[in-house]
Amino acid sequence: MSLDLAGATKRYKIRATGTEINALNGISLSLPEGKTLGIVGESGCGKSTLARLIVGLEKPTEGSILWRGQEIADKSHDAFRTRLSKTQLVFQDPYSSLNPRQRIGECIAEVIRVHKLRPDNEISARVEELLTVVGIAPDLQHRYPHQLSGGQRQRVSVARALAAEPDLLVLDEPVSALDVSVRADVMNLLVDLREKFGLTYLFISHDLSMIRHISDLIAVMYLGKIVEYGTWQEVLENPKHPYTRALIEAMPDHTVIGRGNIAKPLTGEVPDPANMPTGCAFHLRCPISQPICSQRIPDLMKLSNSHSVACPEVI
Amino acid sequence: MTSRVKEKSWLHYYLRSTSGVIGAILVFLMVLLSLIAAFKLYPHDPVLQDIENTLKGPSGNYWFGTDQFGRDIFSRCLDGMRRSMIVSIFSVAIATVVGVTLGILGGYFGRWFDSVVVRMSDVIFAFPAILLALAIVNSLGNSWIDTSLAIAVVYTPIFIRVARGPVLSTKEMDYVKSARILGFSSPRILVSHILPNVLAPIVVQIALSLSWAILTESGLSFLGLGTQPPNASLGLMVSDAQAGSFCLVDSRIPFTFYHYRSCWSQSGRRWPSRFT
Amino acid sequence: MKTNFFFSKLLSVLLTLFGISIFVFVVLRVIPGDTITGTLGTDTGVLSPEQIDVLKQYYGIDKSLFGQYTSWMGSFLKGDLGFSFTTGLSVAKLTQSSLAVTAELAILGTVLGVIIGIAVGMFSARKPGSVRDFAGQLFGLLALAIPGFVLSTTIVAVMANKFHYFPNGLEYMTPWRNPWMNFQQMMFPALVLGIAVAAPVMRTTRSALLETVDKDFVRTAHGKGVPARRVQFKHVLRNSLIPIVTMTGIQFGYLLGGAVIVEKIFALPGMGRQVLDAINHREYATVQSSVMIFAILFVTINLVTDLIYRQIDPRIK
Ligand SMILES: Nc1ncnc2c1ncn2[C@@H]1O[C@H](COP(=O)(O)OP(=O)(O)O)[C@@H](O)[C@H]1O
Ligand SMILES: [Mg+2]
């Protein structure tokens, strides 16, 4: 049982200019149930797009996304809604992810009521239970979102997602918008919840240091593609792709950097996804770029059973 | 930042502005006077003619004097106000329900439905308000319901715009996306997650439209296509003044209009864009 | 990009005009139902079936709704707007003269309104929060609050009763037959419309002036010792022009609505009066064509405003 993506591609048409944006470019990966996959990449590389596709908010332009063997965005299916609610998403921005006109208790209760997950007389007890689980005092349930701090709102978002009793939780930069002081608390909460409910996580961040403690597997994304994929040891201790190396180099305490030549820090801008470079998307910024890199689109190639990288130069 | 705070500061602003308070008091007065008329508590029957007492000046018995048929102008003012209020409330209610529904559905679902809604409101916007009301009343008839329907058609596209715009931005909010991921039905998302968050400008628009609708109704009556004689209406009374039947009182009518209208434009902080 | 915009705008306007024609057709022909009874009233009862058929054919209502629409649009586009029995003229002929009256009124009203609005706006903005600012703002509020027909009737009552001066009581004179008389007849109605235009123009001018006063180039000019009044005229006003022009364009369109009432009160034979008279005489063809023309005017003015706005605002490209 797992989450399986095969060639998932998402293109957005930009009406004003008549161009297309390649937000996701053939993503294939497999996440076994109960594991946590960390996705890392610079802002704009398509992480949130991937999150939206996985929870069924948008359909892939091409490719398939299967959760437990069933197509996620297949609306023809009767159980679409129920299945949809089995994969939940926690958004990055705690200020827009809660309805400002809804008390937080009601926001959680609504989920339980709509899906009839508890008999009516047990709903309020369940709401209090969920709030307690995420570390919010139950007597705050009559508050509106704006009466809570960013960290508290994010906890409420998690509680609301949990109310749907999901199996897969996609966390799209859940702590990036929070104060540094509360980030660790929320991260610890997420780790606890994972153990407690046996959840599968897809944890997204632009910051490798955020991901390394929580992930079993790590995928590194660059401009809509996965450039390196493996267990956290493989990716962090033995990074192959020059982009991964550069990310690790940029970490404040890159104690886990692997052997081999140290990568130079990244220079230049991320190219415009509406106007992608030919060949390898990374070659313009790559420290080990070869003339052939501008002509050949590298595929993910297996280094070991779990570790793969999309750069022929380092294999 | 948040909605609560916004509401507070809006009320704060409103109560601090002198014209806001004056306006609120005058609106209250107008409602009160209309209620007096509704319960027929006016001093004289507004349509009762009295040949003995035509064109009298203001007195203790006839506060505003009498018109050329000896009818009490004060009572007619009250009754005219009541009629205007009814038409105004009824037409704005229809325009609000229809316009907000279409605007929200169009904004949320987009695609061809939205295009049709937007095109429809463009079409209606292309007519000067009074002319359109005139044309519709001409086709429908002169009863207060016909007048209300005509005015409702004129004001519906305003509500479509006011509702649709905020929906376009609200539907992109993460909490609406969350609601979709949580498997909520579209009606539920529209009613409990979108509607409450686009309500503020709609409420302001209702207030503004109520006062414009009174003017449109008066305009129609003035042109002979709204309230029919012998019933009293503010518009008709202005038109009578043209014949010189009374000169003192009609200056009070614009006065009422002025305060009533300015109050709402103040409270909405919006400049009305349709000339009636 | 630019021509692209122009064409998509034009296409959208054409679509709107098509919608308008259907709307006018539905509201003025389909909803009222039987044109014959509508026109002849109770006299319809004495007609023989043959006569009714002839009349139906005459009014073009022997066809299906679709057929009626296409034949109406067909002749409308060819310039055949129908015939008015009361005046014995074709509607096209009628419209020619009444359109000129309304155009003169609307242009005069706009010019007056813009002059008054800018003057009061500048008067107000010179010292925000002062008594003169309050007076200016009060003018704006009053101008907006008093309905056109109340202002008009008050003017008529005062002029006619107190000063026995009412040029509009005389026969209407075109500007080329009797320019002085025409001016007297146009003055007050244009003023009434102008005051309604002046309110928002005044508001826009005032806030645009207050906004630009803080800008660097104004301070620089002040610093160079340029007199305040010159700075206001030369620099500030020029830079405030964009919002004022836009506001004027918008108001010009709405002014057409005001014209309906004002023309009636001041007995001017314009488009508004033409519609009203046609309604009163139950001349459906005239109503239909005139309302259609009103809408076309309105849409065209808005299009032109939009294009002008894009021309003068360098930010929009
Ligand atoms: N709805 C959309 N329409 C057009 N472009 C989009 C849309 N959503 C995302 N994009 C584009 O797709 C790319 C990836 O965006 P996103 O998934 O938000 O990246 P990330 O979350 O990694 O920062 C960006 O270039 C973004 O501009
Ligand atoms: Mg993102």
Side-chain angles (χ1 to χ4, degrees):
Chain A
M1 288 301 189
S2 54
L3 171 73
D4 297 286
L5 278 73
T9 298
K10 184 73 191 179
R11 282 190 287 270
Y12 291 109
K13 284 204 178 64
I14 308 296
R15 265 221 207 111
T17 56
T19 51
E20 277 199 337
I21 281 187
N22 271 296
L24 283 185
N25 218 333
I27 301 277
S28 301
L29 57 82
S30 176
L31 168 62
E33 227 174 304
K35 297 277 188 225
T36 294
L37 168 64
I39 299 213
V40 68
E42 280 165 297
S43 153
C45 71
K47 305 183 299 295
S48 298
T49 306
L50 181 64
R52 289 196 297 272
L53 293 191
I54 288 175
V55 297
L57 209 48
E58 292 169 15
K59 275 190 192 166
T61 319
E62 281 163 31
S64 68
I65 299 173
L66 306 178
W67 172 241
R68 293 179 171 170
Q70 280 187 317
E71 191 78 36
I72 290 247
D74 178 11
K75 285 209 179 195
S76 62
H77 203 281
D78 261 359
F80 170 69
R81 284 233 188 95
T82 343
R83 193 174 63 249
L84 200 58
S85 68
K86 292 293 165 200
T87 56
Q88 283 301 315
L89 174 60
V90 174
F91 288 95
Q92 171 176 4
D93 178 9
Y95 290 93
S96 91
S97 55
L98 297 174
N99 182 348
R101 300 276 165 161
Q102 201 174 31
R103 296 174 200 274
I104 60 169
E106 170 54 24
C107 157
I108 296 166
E110 188 182 16
V111 180
I112 305 168
R113 213 177 313 118
V114 166
H115 290 294
K116 303 194 171 61
L117 297 170
R118 292 283 187 284
D120 279 354
N121 56 358
E122 289 172 27
I123 289 180
S124 70
R126 173 68 175 158
V127 169
E128 292 183 5
E129 180 192 339
L130 283 166
L131 285 173
T132 316
V133 160
V134 298
I136 300 272
D139 48 321
L140 297 187
Q141 62 174 299
H142 300 296
R143 296 232 177 143
Y144 284 98
H146 70 264
Q147 297 166 313
L148 303 179
S149 70
Q152 284 175 317
R153 283 159 167 248
Q154 209 60 325
R155 287 167 190 266
V156 173
S157 288
V158 172
R160 177 182 57 187
L162 292 178
E165 299 175 7
D167 311 307
L168 171 67
L169 194 54
V170 180
L171 300 140
D172 187 0
E173 313 214 21
V175 297
S176 303
L178 303 182
D179 286 346
V180 178
S181 55
V182 297
R183 281 187 187 173
D185 291 342
V186 175
M187 286 301 283
N188 289 334
L189 169 73
L190 291 173
V191 172
D192 292 347
L193 293 175
R194 180 177 61 181
E195 312 306 322
K196 190 164 177 173
F197 297 103
L199 294 166
T200 307
Y201 276 1
L202 197 115
F203 190 99
I204 293 173
S205 178
H206 64 271
D207 181 359
L208 202 47
S209 54
M210 211 47 114
I211 285 208
R212 68 177 172 199
H213 298 300
I214 199 169
S215 307
D216 302 308
L217 296 160
I218 291 180
V220 181
M221 276 181 74
Y222 188 77
L223 274 180
K225 280 186 107 99
I226 292 180
V227 295
E228 186 157 2
Y229 182 61
T231 63
W232 71 271
Q233 291 97 334
E234 285 163 343
V235 174
L236 291 175
E237 291 177 0
N238 188 18
K240 289 292 183 192
H241 199 279
Y243 181 63
T244 317
R245 290 172 160 273
L247 285 182
I248 292 174
E249 178 80 355
M251 280 164 62
D253 52 339
H254 54 282
T255 50
V256 285
I257 187 78
R259 292 169 303 273
N261 45 348
I262 302 288
K264 296 187 197 79
L266 277 182
T267 52
E269 293 278 305
V270 184
D272 178 3
N275 189 12
M276 295 271 269
T278 56
C280 171
F282 187 58
H283 80 266
L284 291 173
R285 300 169 78 194
C286 182
I288 58 166
S289 155
Q290 303 296 315
I292 189 163
C293 293
S294 63
Q295 286 144 39
R296 175 191 58 186
I297 298 180
D299 286 324
L300 262 186
M301 281 177 289
K302 274 196 183 321
L303 293 174
S304 71
N305 202 17
S306 51
H307 195 180
S308 36
V309 63
C311 180
E313 300 300 316
V314 297
I315 294 178
Chain B
M1 175 87 235
T2 50
S3 53
R4 237 312 148 81
V5 176
K6 223 191 258 164
E7 262 169 27
K8 250 184 205 156
S9 65
W10 178 78
L11 200 68
H12 187 70
Y13 165 85
Y14 185 84
L15 289 179
R16 258 197 0 188
S17 83
T18 331
S19 56
V21 174
I22 294 175
I25 293 172
L26 280 160
V27 170
F28 175 75
L29 258 178
M30 257 189 97
V31 173
L32 191 74
L33 293 178
S34 304
L35 283 176
I36 290 177
F39 290 105
K40 301 200 187 305
L41 296 175
Y42 27 61
H44 298 269
D45 184 339
V47 292
L48 187 72
Q49 303 192 1
D50 179 2
I51 315 297
E52 316 269 281
N53 283 312
T54 59
L55 297 175
K56 284 268 158 22
S59 65
N61 192 14
Y62 301 107
W63 292 0
F64 288 179
T66 61
D67 66 7
Q68 73 266 44
F69 300 109
R71 300 174 298 199
D72 177 40
I73 293 178
F74 178 67
S75 304
R76 287 181 72 73
C77 273
L78 294 189
D79 203 43
M81 219 176 276
R82 176 186 68 90
R83 280 170 196 281
S84 296
M85 290 284 255
I86 290 176
V87 168
S88 156
I89 290 170
F90 194 64
S91 57
V92 172
I94 298 174
T96 307
V97 171
V98 177
V100 169
T101 308
L102 287 177
I104 287 185
L105 291 178
Y108 187 70
F109 290 110
R111 293 165 190 269
W112 66 268
F113 182 75
D114 190 40
S115 310
V116 171
V117 168
V118 169
R119 185 70 57 195
M120 260 171 25
S121 51
D122 277 353
V123 164
I124 299 181
F125 262 127
F127 300 89
I130 188 82
L131 182 80
L132 181 59
L134 209 66
I136 299 175
V137 163
N138 172 50
S139 294
L140 288 179
N142 289 325
S143 79
W144 68 271
I145 295 184
D146 298 326
T147 312
S148 306
L149 284 177
I151 298 176
V153 172
V154 175
Y155 286 90
T156 298
I158 301 180
F159 283 96
I160 290 180
R161 272 196 195 177
V162 168
R164 184 178 168 275
V167 169
L168 291 181
S169 54
T170 305
K171 79 169 181 186
E172 295 303 326
M173 299 299 277
D174 288 343
Y175 59 82
V176 175
K177 290 184 186 157
S178 286
R180 282 170 57 199
I181 301 168
L182 286 163
F184 295 169
S185 63
S186 296
R188 168 174 292 274
I189 293 175
L190 286 171
V191 171
S192 41
H193 297 274
I194 291 193
L195 185 61
N197 289 292
V198 299
L199 222 50
I202 295 173
V203 170
V204 171
Q205 191 59 49
I206 290 176
L208 281 171
S209 302
L210 278 173
S211 77
W212 296 342
I214 288 192
L215 290 187
T216 311
E217 192 273 338
S218 309
L220 283 178
S221 303
F222 178 82
L223 294 174
L225 281 145
T227 310
Q228 297 297 308
N231 289 326
S233 104
L234 296 182
L236 272 174
M237 292 170 74
V238 174
S239 128
D240 281 349
Q242 207 175 344
S245 73
F246 60 92
C247 35
L248 218 167
V249 178
D250 72 338
S251 63
R252 279 163 199 271
I253 293 165
F255 202 65
T256 321
F257 278 133
Y258 153 56
H259 283 296
Y260 190 63
R261 242 184 126 169
S262 70
C263 148
W264 291 122
S265 25
Q266 284 290 313
S267 66
R269 301 171 74 179
R270 283 240 340 235
W271 212 241
S273 53
R274 300 202 94 175
F275 176 71
T276 314
Chain C
M1 200 43 197
K2 212 157 180 198
T3 48
N4 205 354
F5 164 80
F6 180 76
F7 281 116
S8 68
K9 190 88 200 167
L10 202 67
L11 187 75
S12 151
V13 164
L14 286 177
L15 258 174
T16 307
L17 284 174
F18 174 66
I20 287 169
S21 70
I22 292 192
F23 185 78
V24 167
F25 180 74
V26 169
V27 166
L28 290 171
R29 173 111 28 132
V30 180
I31 296 179
D34 187 358
T35 316
I36 300 173
T37 323
T39 314
L40 300 180
T42 46
D43 295 344
T44 322
V46 301
L47 296 174
S48 70
E50 291 78 30
Q51 282 173 310
I52 288 187
D53 281 346
V54 170
L55 276 174
K56 274 193 174 161
Q57 208 178 339
Y58 177 77
Y59 285 115
I61 52 176
D62 54 335
K63 302 190 197 106
S64 68
L65 280 183
F66 179 75
Q68 290 182 37
Y69 173 79
T70 45
S71 74
W72 170 55
M73 258 299 105
S75 40
F76 185 91
L77 290 177
K78 273 186 261 155
D80 171 11
L81 310 185
F83 190 79
S84 156
F85 296 96
T86 0
T87 52
L89 292 170
S90 75
V91 179
K93 192 99 189 150
L94 263 183
T95 304
Q96 258 178 18
S97 65
S98 50
L99 200 56
V101 175
T102 302
E104 189 192 349
L105 184 61
I107 291 169
L108 269 180
T110 308
V111 171
L112 264 178
V114 169
I115 292 174
I116 298 174
I118 292 183
V120 178
M122 288 178 68
F123 176 80
S124 265
R126 276 295 287 285
K127 247 195 197 160
S130 65
V131 177
R132 59 198 293 185
D133 184 25
F134 179 76
Q137 299 237 43
L138 188 68
F139 166 81
L141 272 178
L142 275 173
L144 189 78
I146 297 180
F149 64 92
V150 173
L151 189 60
S152 307
T153 37
T154 312
I155 290 178
V156 170
V158 171
M159 294 317 285
N161 295 343
K162 292 255 148 60
F163 299 100
H164 304 288
Y165 170 72
F166 192 55
N168 297 77
L170 307 170
E171 188 197 348
Y172 171 75
M173 289 291 159
T174 56
W176 35 92
R177 260 184 71 194
N178 187 342
W180 172 233
M181 187 41 116
N182 176 270
F183 174 75
Q184 293 182 67
Q185 289 174 332
M186 281 288 177
M187 186 170 56
F188 287 113
L191 189 70
V192 170
L193 293 181
I195 282 178
V197 175
V201 170
M202 171 256 156
R203 242 324 243 265
T204 315
T205 309
R206 180 178 174 276
S207 54
L209 284 178
L210 291 182
E211 229 166 69
T212 30
V213 157
D214 289 340
K215 298 238 168 89
D216 282 344
F217 60 87
V218 178
R219 283 216 214 93
T220 317
H222 267 304
K224 283 198 218 144
V226 182
R229 201 169 289 269
R230 278 240 343 251
V231 174
Q232 203 172 36
F233 259 107
K234 254 191 89 178
H235 295 269
V236 180
L237 201 57
R238 203 176 55 203
N239 283 283
S240 317
L241 221 54
I242 293 168
I244 297 174
V245 168
T246 319
M247 185 43 87
T248 310
I250 296 171
Q251 290 302 314
F252 189 77
Y254 292 125
L255 202 118
L256 290 175
V260 177
I261 285 179
V262 167
E263 282 172 8
K264 156 134 174 132
I265 298 170
F266 289 95
L268 294 172
M271 286 296 290
R273 252 269 303 267
Q274 181 174 320
V275 175
L276 277 176
D277 286 351
I279 286 179
N280 287 333
H281 296 131
R282 301 185 175 283
E283 294 198 342
Y284 289 97
T286 316
V287 178
Q288 210 168 318
S289 307
S290 314
V291 169
M292 191 67 209
I293 289 166
F294 252 110
I296 293 173
L297 276 179
F298 196 89
V299 170
T300 315
I301 290 166
N302 281 347
L303 177 69
V304 170
T305 311
D306 205 21
L307 294 179
I308 292 179
Y309 177 58
R310 267 160 206 277
Q311 276 300 315
I312 58 175
D313 192 347
R315 278 167 305 185
I316 300 181
K317 272 280 135 69

